[in-house]
Amino acid sequence: MRVPRAGSWPRAATGAAGLVLVLAGCGSGPEGGDGPADTDASQSPTAPGSSSPTGEPESTPTVAPATGRVLKVKGMRVNAPEGWETTMRVAVGHGSFPPGQVGTTAGVVRFPNSGLFTIEEIADEEVADLGRGGKRLDDLEIDGTQVYHLVWTDEKGVEVERFATIAADQRVALVFTFANGESRAEKDEIIESMLATMQLG
């Protein structure tokens, strides 16, 4: 079954995260919907590891879980890195970004699934939409749920990584955009710290 190309979901999701940033500006006040309880990372699940070809999980990342403000949409919530600014939360997404930088972001986005498609059907369609230079890396298992990992270059100097699944009958994703020449180690630290706090459902 082919998933309808509703504006090319991977790029549309990235666009939605960007739209959240534009709509909300740089504020992170009460309108973000995150009260004091939402900043507690202590209830975060164990940091996930990617699956090996044998099905055994690889070693758990040693990066400490992120302790910043909570980003959430229906079906997914994660903590942003400590000190990152957050956007106003809207139904389709909630974003964050390092203070004083433009272009680098991390955010959660969602799109209703309505029981129509499986995780594999959506993942296969998204990989096809990415074209040359985009690929699917090893899946993760978080909260007992398969999470697939896509990477691509949106434009010169802008790299995108996306961790997506279906939760609460929503197509949900944690999307990272790196546009400030971050090293692989710097990207991995940000990504792993946020994945370690991901909660689904």
Side-chain angles (χ1 to χ4, degrees):
M1 181 186 300
R2 187 166 177 79
V3 180
R5 294 173 179 259
S8 179
W9 165 240
R11 297 182 189 277
T14 305
L19 178 61
V20 170
L21 287 171
V22 171
L23 288 174
C26 297
S28 58
E31 65 272 13
D34 298 323
D38 285 337
T39 62
D40 182 8
S42 63
Q43 298 179 358
S44 302
T46 303
S50 59
S51 298
S52 68
T54 62
E56 294 295 324
E58 295 178 355
S59 59
T60 301
T62 57
V63 174
T67 57
R69 299 181 70 84
V70 170
L71 306 177
K72 58 185 175 181
V73 290
K74 183 178 180 182
M76 179 181 283
R77 60 184 287 149
V78 300
N79 283 77
E82 185 67 36
W84 280 36
E85 303 285 346
T86 57
T87 66
M88 178 169 54
R89 180 163 53 95
V90 295
V92 296
H94 194 187
S96 65
F97 52 94
Q101 290 192 25
V102 176
T104 294
T105 64
V108 291
V109 294
R110 76 163 185 91
F111 187 81
N113 185 50
S114 302
L116 296 176
F117 307 107
T118 67
I119 292 174
E120 283 300 325
E121 287 171 338
I122 296 172
D124 288 346
E125 181 67 14
E126 291 176 6
V127 171
D129 283 342
L130 292 178
R132 293 182 61 186
K135 59 184 177 180
R136 180 178 178 179
L137 302 182
D138 291 341
D139 290 357
L140 306 177
E141 183 175 304
I142 300 176
D143 279 356
T145 301
Q146 175 188 0
V147 176
Y148 56 93
H149 180 192
L150 306 181
V151 296
W152 72 94
T153 300
D154 211 29
E155 57 187 79
K156 187 175 181 180
V158 179
E159 297 178 359
V160 183
E161 298 204 29
R162 188 163 173 278
F163 297 83
T165 190
I166 298 172
D169 200 25
Q170 307 293 310
R171 304 182 211 180
V172 290
L174 171 59
V175 184
F176 298 90
T177 302
F178 297 104
N180 289 291
E182 292 90 350
S183 68
R184 185 66 255 173
E186 289 171 329
K187 294 173 187 174
D188 287 344
E189 182 174 3
I190 293 168
I191 290 169
E192 291 174 12
S193 72
M194 293 184 69
L195 286 176
T197 70
M198 182 181 287
Q199 297 178 51
L200 300 170

